[in-house]
Amino acid sequence: MIVVLFWSRLTSEAGEDYSSMAAEMIERARGTPGFKDFKSFKSEDGERLSVIHWQDAATMRLWATDERHRLAQKLGREKWYQYFRIEIADVTRAGISSARGPPALAAAPGPPGGGGRGAGGGGAGGRGGGSPGDTPMHHVEGGVGEGVSPPEPARRGWRAALPPPPSPPQVAAAS
């Protein structure tokens, strides 16, 4: 499983056009094979954090080539974001710290005995953990702040490591 962490801060130009595109991107992502989960949080100072889970690098790469997503990225760079930062990582372990916690995403199993923060641990969202100076984050319903990749020089780094998207099935020609 792949997790994408996307931090951003919106400009004053990010109005209804941004909100509409963000909602469209979430729906398109949910319809993309390999999409697992999306959550977005907003801190009191306006910074946003979106957490997106994908089945694997190949399915995330498929999303990265979606034409509407590419348009949203362009508009985000040009007018909607003051800045953004993206991190992409393989999930090597996930877990829930409570039987009453949220449903687990399918991920690589952890070692026997568990422990650690895992998917249900602390960090953003104000659910414990984190550093003493962490800014509290609040969940944003409808999920905004997603859909923009790094500027071109940075993008080459993480995209270069991704496998190409799956090829469409070939149809045999009639003879």
Side-chain angles (χ1 to χ4, degrees), residues 162-173:
L162 295 176
S167 299
Q170 298 297 317
V171 177

Side-chain angles (χ1 to χ4, degrees), residues 30 77 105 109 135:
R30 286 186 176 132
R77 284 188 299 270
L105 296 171
T135 303

Side-chain angles (χ1 to χ4, degrees), residues 5-42:
L5 302 176
F6 181 80
W7 287 267
S8 65
R9 185 176 304 274
L10 297 176
T11 67
S12 59
E13 293 180 63
E16 182 54 39
D17 58 339
Y18 168 80
S19 298
S20 176
M21 181 65 85
E24 178 186 342
M25 290 301 99
I26 293 164
E27 288 309 308
R28 287 182 75 84
R30 286 186 176 132
T32 301
F35 173 84
K36 293 294 184 185
D37 185 63
F38 174 86
K39 295 223 178 187
S40 187
F41 304 87
K42 181 179 175 186

Side-chain angles (χ1 to χ4, degrees), residues 60-147:
M60 184 185 69
R61 177 78 177 129
L62 184 63
W63 171 245
T65 62
D66 179 270
E67 287 303 314
R68 286 293 290 172
H69 180 223
R70 306 269 308 181
L71 174 62
Q73 291 173 331
K74 180 179 185 293
L75 292 169
R77 284 188 299 270
E78 290 174 356
K79 69 179 201 172
W80 292 330
Y81 292 108
Q82 284 181 17
Y83 66 84
F84 58 86
R85 184 177 105 206
I86 190 166
E87 293 180 12
I88 300 171
D90 284 305
V91 175
T92 59
R93 180 177 168 176
I96 300 292
S97 63
S98 167
R100 294 179 302 274
L105 296 171
R117 285 168 50 170
R127 289 185 288 271
S131 303
D134 283 351
T135 303
M137 300 290 277
H138 306 285
H139 183 69
V140 176
E141 291 300 325
V144 293
E146 163 309 325

